[in-house]
């Protein structure tokens, strides 16, 4: 089988699996479940989650083990797809999976920092990724920042985290944010930069998806810096992701140095499609949570649109996994909402995907 044939085959498989994503009314049903056990039983009856959850006992399932199984199911799917890729496509997909890996590295970091989780529990929470170069056993055994840096020294993360971990080890800083920001920025920039190495048609399809993600993340960081922190324009610039799509460094520099009313006017005039994401949450309660959801919904809608473009190819697979990731994030959020007794209507406002009761939409982007 040629590489082109393999990529086409995985794209067709992604199309098939896309058809198994949960419908809006199924999410509504899940919101009305009474427990994690009931959610587990419902999901085991669906085509997408029957196999991944087959060994999870519905009667005893709780939020923690359901979340682990859901995330593991996505990584297991990814393992199959990535085996058909090589070169720039494989690197792009591996770096995309880096989002999962950075979250696990943050988990290890918090364990080293607090020691509140025993090693056995930490090992259970860690799931090695396809294409990963990390030694997860070594990571789970770390007891200090220097040991964590040593475990990462030969990995692609080493340069990004070396200075934050050294500063923590020497007591020069006690900031959690510096380490986690370094990881986030490294992963976002890696994925965005990988776009240029893809074939032109693939890059043309995927750049709007990941470019708008970079733009919205930088605008979100800018928004928070201007709203909540007394930072200089230079300090704000340092907090931004060093990658750019439509919102240029010049745009960000101007907005970072502007009072809120000028910043909002500039954003609305220059980037009305992004401004709409921010404007509708400005006067709402829980506005930061709602804003984060609107950004994810923007990305979800972009992935759904790009998924349908052109002949099935690598972009089809990437968009499918983006949509599947958002679905799993919603399922985890639904389980949290059910466990906390949140009303279905209120919980629906915190989801990425559209939800319907079978008639009118509860919300729709």
């Amino acid at each position: 089988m040629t590489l082109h044939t393999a990529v086409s085959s995985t794209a067709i498989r992604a199309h098939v699996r896309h058809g198994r994503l949960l419908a809006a009314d199924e999410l509504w049903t899940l919101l009305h479940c009474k427990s994690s056990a009931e959610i587990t039983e419902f999901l085991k009856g669906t085509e997408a989650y029957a196999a991944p959850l087959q060994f999870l006992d519905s009667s005893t399932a709780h939020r923690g083990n359901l979340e682990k199984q859901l995330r593991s199911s996505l990584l297991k799917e990814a393992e199959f797809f990535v085996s058909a890729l090589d070169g720039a496509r494989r690197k792009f997909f591996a770096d995309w999976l880096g989002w999962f890996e950075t979250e696990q590295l943050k988990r290890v970091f918090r364990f080293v920092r607090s020691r509140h989780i025993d090693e056995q529990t930490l090992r259970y929470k860690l799931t090695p990724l396809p294409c990963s170069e990390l030694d997860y056993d070594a990571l789970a055994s770390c007891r200090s920042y220097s040991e964590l840096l040593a475990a990462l020294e030969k990995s692609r993360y080493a340069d990004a985290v070396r200075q934050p971990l050294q500063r923590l080890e020497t007591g020069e800083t006690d900031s959690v944010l510096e380490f986690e920001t370094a990881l986030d920025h490294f992963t976002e920039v890696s994925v965005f930069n990988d776009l240029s190495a893809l074939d032109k048609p693939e890059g043309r399809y995927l750049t709007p998806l990941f470019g708008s993600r970079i733009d919205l993340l930088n605008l979100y960081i800018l928004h928070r810096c201007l709203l909540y922190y007394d930072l200089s324009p230079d300090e704000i610039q340092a907090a931004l992701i060093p990658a750019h799509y439509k919102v240029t460094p010049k745009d960000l520099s101007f907005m970072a140095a502007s009072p809120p009313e000028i910043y909002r006017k500039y954003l609305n005039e220059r980037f009305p499609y992004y401004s709409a994401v921010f404007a509708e949450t400005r006067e709402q309660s829980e506005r930061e949570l709602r804003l984060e959801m609107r950004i994810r919904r923007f990305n979800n809608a972009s992935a759904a649109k790009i998924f349908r473009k052109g002949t099935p190819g690598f972009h089809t697979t990437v968009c499918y996994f983006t949509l599947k990731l958002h679905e799993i994030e919603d399922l985890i959020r639904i389980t949290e909402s059910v466990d906390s007794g949140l009303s279905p209507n209120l919980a629906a406002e915190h989801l990425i995907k559209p939800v319907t009761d079978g008639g009118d939409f509860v919300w729709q982007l």
Side-chain angles (χ1 to χ4, degrees):
M1 181 184 294
T2 67
L3 178 60
H4 176 75
T5 303
V7 172
S8 297
S9 176
T10 56
I12 292 169
R13 187 178 290 262
H15 252 284
V16 171
R17 297 196 179 192
H18 177 270
R20 300 173 185 170
L21 293 174
L22 297 177
D25 60 333
E26 289 180 298
L27 294 176
W28 183 246
T29 299
L30 285 166
L31 285 166
H32 285 77
C33 289
K34 304 301 182 186
S35 64
S36 299
E38 193 174 328
I39 290 172
T40 303
E41 187 62 23
F42 180 92
L43 291 175
K44 288 172 74 171
T46 65
E47 193 172 7
Y49 296 100
L53 300 181
Q54 61 180 314
F55 299 116
L56 190 59
D57 186 349
S58 299
S59 64
T60 58
H62 57 78
R63 190 170 76 193
N65 54 28
L66 177 57
E67 177 178 344
K68 179 177 173 60
Q69 289 300 115
L70 288 171
R71 293 194 185 281
S72 296
S73 71
L74 183 65
L75 298 179
K76 192 69 176 175
E77 264 192 273
E79 186 174 7
F80 169 82
F81 279 86
V82 80
S83 66
L85 303 174
D86 71 355
R89 295 187 186 100
R90 184 179 179 89
K91 184 177 187 307
F92 181 93
F93 203 81
D95 286 348
W96 181 83
L97 288 171
W99 288 336
F100 290 90
E101 195 148 71
T102 55
E103 289 306 308
Q104 300 203 77
L105 288 176
K106 290 176 188 178
R107 192 167 284 156
V108 175
F109 170 75
R110 291 165 192 156
F111 168 64
V112 171
R113 182 179 176 81
S114 68
R115 312 284 177 84
H116 286 165
I117 305 175
D118 64 78
E119 186 175 330
Q120 184 176 355
T121 301
L122 179 62
R123 287 179 187 276
Y124 173 76
K125 288 178 175 290
L126 298 178
T127 305
L129 276 68
C131 307
S132 178
E133 59 189 359
L134 297 182
D135 184 339
Y136 278 74
D137 286 333
L139 287 169
S141 301
C142 291
R143 292 295 181 274
S144 67
Y145 298 126
S146 59
E147 288 181 7
L148 179 53
L149 179 56
L152 295 173
E153 193 59 56
K154 294 183 180 180
S155 75
R156 66 196 189 100
Y157 300 101
D159 289 342
V161 302
R162 185 176 291 109
Q163 185 175 5
L165 286 176
Q166 288 174 342
R167 281 163 49 80
L168 284 160
E169 180 70 21
T170 60
E172 186 178 347
T173 181
D174 192 39
S175 172
V176 176
L177 187 62
E178 187 175 348
F179 173 80
E180 297 193 346
T181 298
L183 276 177
D184 289 338
H185 284 195
F186 172 78
T187 302
E188 295 293 347
V189 171
S190 296
V191 173
F192 187 72
N193 288 345
D194 287 344
L195 291 166
S196 62
L198 296 174
D199 291 346
K200 284 187 178 179
E202 295 170 348
R204 188 171 63 249
Y205 282 130
L206 291 173
T207 296
L209 175 60
F210 291 94
S212 62
R213 176 184 169 87
I214 289 288
D215 281 347
L216 284 167
L217 285 173
N218 270 334
L219 289 171
Y220 180 62
I221 295 168
L222 178 67
H223 159 86
R224 288 186 59 82
C225 286
L226 291 173
L227 192 65
Y228 299 115
Y229 305 109
D230 183 21
L231 301 178
S232 69
D234 286 344
E235 289 173 321
I236 294 174
Q237 291 279 16
L240 299 173
I241 300 168
H244 313 283
Y245 179 47
K246 291 186 177 180
V247 183
T248 67
K250 183 178 179 181
D251 293 318
L252 291 167
S253 178
F254 177 82
M255 289 187 283
S258 300
E261 62 274 12
I262 299 298
Y263 143 69
R264 289 169 183 160
K265 183 174 185 292
Y266 185 88
L267 180 62
N268 185 56
E269 291 177 352
R270 288 273 293 163
F271 308 103
Y273 39 89
Y274 293 150
S275 178
V277 175
F278 290 81
E280 294 184 20
T281 62
R282 195 169 294 137
E283 305 304 327
Q284 294 178 331
S285 60
E286 298 183 301
R287 62 182 177 184
E288 294 309 307
L289 175 59
R290 291 174 185 272
L291 178 53
E292 289 178 16
M293 286 302 102
R294 285 194 61 79
I295 290 172
R296 283 181 166 84
R297 290 168 192 167
F298 186 103
N299 293 331
N300 191 73
S302 297
K305 181 179 179 180
I306 295 167
F307 177 88
R308 297 188 292 269
K309 288 188 173 182
T311 304
F314 181 62
H315 73 283
T316 311
T317 300
V318 173
C319 288
Y320 160 69
F321 273 98
T322 301
L323 295 168
K324 185 63 180 280
L325 170 61
H326 290 158
E327 177 171 283
I328 287 175
E329 288 178 346
D330 275 349
L331 291 176
I332 292 168
R333 199 167 288 109
I334 287 171
T335 307
E336 292 170 348
S337 298
V338 167
D339 281 358
S340 63
L342 202 63
S343 74
N345 284 67
L346 185 57
E349 295 179 9
H350 297 156
L351 301 184
I352 301 167
K353 294 179 63 175
V355 176
T356 179
D357 59 3
D360 296 331
F361 281 109
V362 174
W363 69 260
Q364 188 175 20
L365 186 65

